[in-house]
Amino acid sequence: MDRLSVTTPFGRRPMSLALVRGQIRSSGIKAGKTVDKWKVLRDVCEARTLLGVQDRALAVLNALLSFYPQGELAEGNDLVVFPSNAQLTHRANGIAGSTLRRCLAALVEAGLVSRKDSPNGKRYARKDGEGGIEEAYGFDLAPLLARSEELAGLAQEVAAERRRFLIAKERVSLCRRDVRKLITAAIEEGASGDWGHAEDMFVALIARIPRRPSLKDLLAIADEMTLLHEEVVNMLDDNAISENMASNDGLSEQHIQNSNPESFNELEPSSEKEQDEKPRAKSGAKPKGVQPFPLEMVLRACPEIKPFGPDGVVSSWRDLMMAAVTVRSMLAVSPSAYEEACEVMGPATAASVVACMYERSGHINSPGGYLRDLTNRARRGEFSLGPMLMALLRGAPTSNLASAS
């Protein structure tokens, strides 16, 4: 590397170590490296928020590149352009002189171009006897060539972040529409359930959406909206089951009334043993399996369980179940209590419940008794994982989880 390639600015403009590092990096470009100058500009435009560059500065950078005659920036070529302020103003859509100077300083500060000032601070080129440029003073475009891979990576990162933002926004919009219409239909058709409370939760969630939400804001709202959607669907499902049972009871009663009275005794149990066995079979039947929520949502609500997965990572439901076994022993929950929870709730949901308990373990006096109580409620069909996750996502204390579930 030619140490003389590190230069200082003319006049009162200060020198900084960042400018020195940028010039050293630009002088160490790999031999033979080339890059399309307009592709680099597109990458810079895409990554402008990460680079801290405004739109007007990008217009000035576009003007500077237009003064470079070749379509590609290449190592070994003189990458210095030397337009006057008047020429730059013309190609930058008539930008004001003071704004032009600020934009040039911003491009230098961002490490996208560097200054190569002449002894008197003017921009010009000295030509040799054959008319070729021997030495040029102005703005060096070498940093764009040196950082081309980095700029491309930043552009891809911004594009991926924008895609995640759009997906989260779509998720919130779709879930918001579904919940709104489901609650409205339930209220208008007189479905049983606490729809006033569901309406209040929905309105509160909508009110929390900022005017300009970030990705983090959208993900949090999407998680809580998904949980509310799940609760609304469960309430409608319970309502449908109740109506179906009422309908079946009506049909059974009609069947009995229309049957031959002489055959009534055939419907009675033949012994007291059968009479005792029927209620036990009904109470001991397994409830409908509770489907687990997305693993990502569970981990967002319960991040403390992640280090107990294999190799300190929880990346699948199997990992979460293995971590739950470890955490279960730390909470002093007996194996029988956890096995019963797995049998009634399902292994994934039981592991999620243990993760929720560990997240707020300091607020639970008897984790074993707490888990058995939740298991009994699940057996009766009175437990849902959604409110527990929602309470944790909102930062509510675990003492409220039992009432929420």
Side-chain angles (χ1 to χ4, degrees):
M1 181 191 74
D2 183 6
R3 299 290 175 178
L4 294 178
S5 63
V6 177
T7 62
T8 59
F10 171 79
R12 296 182 178 180
R13 288 193 293 267
M15 187 63 180
S16 67
L17 294 181
L19 295 177
V20 174
R21 287 192 292 268
Q23 291 187 41
I24 293 176
R25 177 170 54 183
S26 298
S27 63
I29 300 173
K30 183 179 179 181
K33 181 179 180 180
T34 62
V35 65
D36 186 292
K37 65 179 183 180
W38 301 121
K39 181 183 182 303
V40 175
L41 178 63
R42 289 194 296 271
D43 291 339
V44 171
C45 291
E46 187 75 20
R48 62 184 179 277
T49 54
L50 297 180
L51 295 170
V53 179
Q54 302 296 324
D55 293 343
R56 288 192 174 184
L58 295 176
V60 174
L61 180 60
N62 179 80
L64 286 173
L65 286 171
S66 69
F67 285 100
Y68 185 73
Q70 283 79 34
E72 290 188 337
L73 304 176
E75 185 275 334
N77 292 354
D78 191 349
L79 301 179
V80 177
V81 292
F82 43 91
S84 65
N85 282 356
Q87 291 174 314
L88 278 176
T89 298
H90 177 71
R91 294 199 186 182
N93 304 319
I95 192 171
S98 58
T99 304
L100 173 64
R101 289 189 291 272
R102 286 197 301 270
C103 291
L104 290 171
L107 293 174
V108 174
E109 184 68 23
L112 299 175
V113 299
S114 61
R115 297 180 185 272
K116 186 179 179 182
D117 287 345
S118 65
N120 61 4
K122 303 294 183 180
R123 300 175 207 143
Y124 63 87
R126 185 176 65 248
K127 298 184 178 180
D128 56 22
E130 299 178 357
I133 295 178
E134 185 177 60
E135 190 70 52
Y137 298 99
F139 291 98
D140 193 354
L141 304 177
L144 292 174
L145 178 60
R147 300 179 62 187
S148 59
E149 295 88 355
E150 176 194 352
L151 295 172
L154 292 175
Q156 293 175 4
E157 180 181 338
V158 170
E161 186 76 4
R162 184 187 301 112
R163 176 176 172 79
R164 289 192 292 269
F165 181 87
L166 291 176
I167 291 175
K169 188 175 181 180
E170 289 177 356
R171 182 182 166 198
V172 170
S173 298
L174 291 174
C175 201
R176 175 179 179 177
R177 180 193 68 192
D178 293 343
V179 172
R180 173 69 279 167
K181 291 191 174 183
L182 288 173
I183 293 177
T184 300
I187 294 175
E188 290 179 350
E189 298 183 21
S192 61
D194 191 357
W195 299 110
H197 180 62
E199 175 79 13
D200 292 341
M201 293 179 65
F202 176 75
V203 172
L205 277 176
I206 298 303
R208 287 172 48 203
I209 301 178
R211 179 172 296 181
R212 293 184 178 179
S214 64
L215 176 61
K216 183 179 180 180
D217 295 330
L218 289 177
L219 288 176
I221 294 295
D223 284 346
E224 295 193 38
M225 192 71 72
T226 300
L227 293 171
L228 180 57
H229 181 274
E230 184 73 17
E231 288 303 302
V232 169
V233 172
N234 286 340
M235 289 169 66
L236 291 174
D237 188 33
D238 292 342
N239 188 73
I241 293 174
S242 299
E243 291 180 355
N244 187 45
M245 292 177 62
S247 176
N248 290 339
D249 290 343
L251 290 175
S252 300
E253 182 179 355
Q254 182 180 4
H255 174 74
I256 294 172
Q257 291 175 350
N258 294 338
S259 299
N260 186 347
E262 295 180 358
S263 63
F264 182 77
N265 291 334
E266 295 178 1
L267 301 177
E268 294 291 334
S270 59
S271 66
E272 293 182 0
K273 181 179 180 180
E274 286 184 59
Q275 292 179 352
D276 292 338
E277 286 178 351
K278 283 193 174 182
R280 281 202 298 267
K282 183 177 180 180
S283 63
K286 292 183 181 180
K288 181 175 64 176
V290 181
Q291 296 299 324
F293 288 87
L295 178 62
E296 181 182 357
M297 184 184 299
V298 175
L299 295 179
R300 192 175 292 119
C302 311
E304 296 295 330
I305 200 171
K306 293 181 182 179
F308 298 97
D311 299 324
V313 177
V314 174
S315 57
S316 65
W317 283 110
R318 181 179 178 84
D319 293 347
L320 181 63
M321 295 173 198
M322 295 176 65
V325 172
T326 302
V327 171
R328 185 271 307 163
S329 61
M330 295 174 60
L331 293 174
V333 174
S334 66
S336 60
Y338 184 63
E339 289 173 6
E340 184 180 6
C342 290
E343 180 181 355
V344 174
M345 302 178 183
T349 301
S352 301
V353 170
V354 171
C356 292
M357 292 170 56
Y358 184 70
E359 192 69 21
R360 293 291 185 270
S361 57
H363 300 274
I364 301 176
N365 294 329
S366 176
Y370 183 79
L371 181 60
R372 288 190 184 276
D373 178 65
L374 295 182
T375 302
N376 292 332
R377 294 171 65 177
R379 185 179 288 109
R380 298 192 301 268
E382 300 174 356
F383 169 76
S384 176
L385 178 62
M388 294 186 72
L389 294 177
M390 184 177 293
L392 288 171
L393 288 169
R394 289 178 171 178
T398 308
S399 57
N400 296 335
L401 295 185
S403 58
S405 61

